[in-house]
Amino acid sequence: METLLLAVAAYECQRRPELGPGLPGVKDALGELFAMTVKGEAEMFDHLGFGVTDFERSTRFYDQALAPLGINRLFTVPLERSGGVDVTGYGVERPQFRISGRGDTSGRLHGCFLAGTRDLIDAFYAAAMAAGGRDNGAPGLRPHYHEHCYGGFALDPDGFNVEAVCHAPA
């Protein structure tokens, strides 16, 4: 899942040039993964979501942690439409990341958000820590992915690994 999310983020970086150049130095395996995750100009995912154990605590965390990336809460589903379960969605133009109050997601979940600059990664990480997140990798270069990969990692209130990544050169 981690590699898949990295590939989708990298694809987005290449598709939207304002986020930076392509991925110099990325091995062919990642290019092959692009072919598996996207078809032409279409995105593979409409949205991803998972259940959290404390909806209010998690929305406070994500509201604050994602704001530096320009990702905001765009909608909350009325309880009468969700079977009484709290559901909200985050995004830039449309809600591509959703959480619900079902609390039924477990395991080693990892989500990665794309940022256009390294400064935004630093701001994401600081906001995540201020929002009660726990360190899971301070912002820095991740050359084992490629020479320009810069990311920061935080654990959300449920212990899920939340990353922000920038693929552009400094």
Side-chain angles (χ1 to χ4, degrees):
M1 177 67 98
E2 181 176 335
T3 305
L4 178 64
L5 291 174
L6 175 63
V8 171
Y11 170 77
E12 284 293 315
C13 185
Q14 288 182 338
R15 207 179 92 192
R16 297 189 331 208
E18 73 273 12
L19 295 176
L23 301 171
V26 175
K27 297 187 185 316
D28 290 340
L30 191 55
E32 291 172 17
L33 190 53
F34 287 145
M36 293 187 300
T37 59
V38 297
K39 292 185 176 193
E41 289 298 310
E43 298 173 352
M44 179 176 171
F45 295 108
D46 180 72
H47 64 275
L48 299 172
F50 55 86
V52 297
T53 56
D54 184 329
F55 185 77
E56 293 303 320
R57 178 182 67 175
S58 291
T59 55
R60 284 191 305 272
F61 172 82
Y62 284 108
D63 287 352
Q64 189 172 341
L66 298 179
L69 303 176
I71 299 170
N72 299 296
R73 194 178 338 176
L74 298 179
F75 82 96
T76 299
V77 178
L79 291 174
E80 62 272 10
R81 302 292 290 173
S82 68
V85 176
D86 290 311
V87 177
T88 197
Y90 294 84
V92 175
E93 295 177 9
R94 62 186 175 87
Q96 293 180 277
F97 170 66
R98 299 178 186 186
I99 59 173
S100 74
R102 292 180 52 166
D104 56 357
T105 302
S106 63
R108 295 181 52 184
L109 183 69
H110 174 136
C112 181
F113 296 90
L114 186 62
T117 69
R118 293 177 181 189
D119 288 342
L120 290 174
I121 305 300
D122 298 342
F124 155 80
Y125 181 82
M129 295 300 102
R134 291 176 289 143
D135 172 59
N136 199 32
L141 285 171
R142 303 299 195 267
H144 50 282
Y145 292 117
H146 65 84
E147 68 178 313
H148 300 297
C149 185
Y150 187 90
F153 300 81
L155 298 177
D156 82 351
D158 284 290
F160 299 134
N161 186 25
V162 183
E163 174 187 4
V165 67
C166 176
H167 298 288

